[in-house]
Amino acid sequence: MTMRAIEPSTGREVPDQGVSEHGVAGHEVPGPGTPGLGVPGLGVPESGVPEFEVSGHQGTGQEGTGHGQRAAVAAVAAVVVAAPPSGCVLSADGSYGARLAREGDSLFPERWTLDGPEPYAVPLRAGRSEEPGAEVQPMGDGRVLVRRPVDGRHAFSLLYPTGPGTGEVPLGAVVCPDGGAELRLLPPAPCGRRAYAVAVGPRSTALWLVAGGAFGPERVAEIPGRCSGGVWLDRVGRMLSLDRETGGRTKAVVVDLERGGEVSPLLEITEESDDRVLLADPDSGLLLIRSDAPSPGRGRLGWGVLGSTLPVRFPASLRLPDCTVTPFAVQPGQALTPEGCAVALRVDGPLGSWVGVWRPAQRRMHHLPAPEGWLAGTGLWTADGVLRLPCATPAMPCGVAVLNPPGLNPPGPERQSERGRGEDRREGPPEGRKGSSEKPELPSPEGESMTPAAPAALRPVPLREAPLGGL
């Protein structure tokens, strides 16, 4: 795959040095290992009726009065083939969001500020309508990165509000001469100062630093195979997980950005399985994965712990027949207690999308209605177990629905400290307790151990020598 960068100031092509289609010069990609991950789950949750409190600004880009709305729980059963992409991208710390908003036939970037008393949106019209293939991503300082595909190249710029107008800082472009490479942005880097993209060619994948570098886009590494996904495994933006397809099989690998893009295996449950990493929480080490190891040809959701040598778990509560279930947020701040982390999942069906909430320590998923106008697949947890879901309606173009899912917060008028709450959650709720949700009960997982394992030390390194178990 031949690609090159163009400097923003001169338009001069910058050749890559020391990189071939088969990898970074002088770097040998390790062979496949046999990693795995996991900690047993336990308990049955107590269900309840949650409430959404929606706050935001009325009117596009204008300050207004906060508005509250409530949504009752409804039972939902659905069938779906594939989940559409998320409608909004959040910065790693949740302070900002960015999306492509529509006004008539025009598309324009829109920045959401989410760390203040009320969320508000600012349109970033740069004197043009964005093409449907454009992408946006918020940076940690509030600027918005935009990728624009134009005639075989991808131009990058930073947009920011300047009073009534929009400022733009061109960063340069990545050129795809053969037109066969698919370039897309990776999720926002944890540091908030850099942004990365991958260009997937027929036989290799190029990793690009497209914002935060010294001289425009810089190619960081070239990885043999076609890579998809993209999950950050630490809080500094060094360790990146990608799902690499080689030889007809897909395995998760780790790319070390501080060692020239060195690649090493991360997840290989069996030699014949497709194993992908979907989500990771650096605080607890919790990983959400999808693999067809327990059911060849059919991917199933599972979970485990980064650095653990215990088997991956595939709870039956995460398997909804004929539904698409996609995790999109993990509760942070639960150090050394991955089984206590709350996970938010997007469930898609012909009746629309709704929210699932699940913890490894629980043996049931809570099904909750999505708030009106939810930007499906977008949201974040606070450390104390509150789920915040961005939503947009004609009456409230920028709002955040605040959800307190049942069974996640400890009892008592005041929430406990992170350490105290983590210890309580390791015990799990009493088994056999039936919830009050009207949603039909999902089957309990079979063959899962009821005893939690000792927490593993957190380390962003490949997982090794874990058997396949707990199916």
Side-chain angles (χ1 to χ4, degrees), residues 5 25 34 57 91 123 128 147 166 174 284 298 332 374 381 437:
T34 312
H57 281 271
S91 59
R128 72 181 79 181
R147 176 188 67 85
T166 299
V174 174
S284 63
R298 294 184 292 112
W374 177 41
W381 289 98
S437 172

Side-chain angles (χ1 to χ4, degrees), residues 99 278 296 315 374 387 419 426:
R99 68 170 186 147
L278 305 181
W374 177 41
L387 181 60
R419 179 175 301 178
R426 292 181 61 185

Side-chain angles (χ1 to χ4, degrees), residues 79-83 322-324 348-350:
V79 177
V80 72
V81 177
D322 301 319
C323 290
T324 297
D348 290 279

Side-chain angles (χ1 to χ4, degrees), residues 122-199:
V122 176
L124 297 175
R125 297 180 177 88
R128 72 181 79 181
S129 175
E130 304 295 342
E131 297 296 327
E135 286 185 287
V136 293
Q137 184 176 117
M139 304 296 289
D141 59 5
R143 293 182 294 178
V144 172
L145 174 69
V146 57
R147 176 188 67 85
R148 299 183 177 112
V150 182
D151 298 330
R153 66 192 187 106
H154 301 264
F156 296 90
S157 294
L158 289 173
L159 306 179
Y160 57 94
T162 57
T166 299
E168 180 170 354
V169 179
L171 300 176
V174 174
V175 180
C176 309
D178 53 8
E182 306 169 4
L183 192 143
R184 63 178 175 85
L185 292 174
L186 289 174
C191 64
R193 301 185 303 273
R194 299 185 296 271
Y196 294 87
V198 289

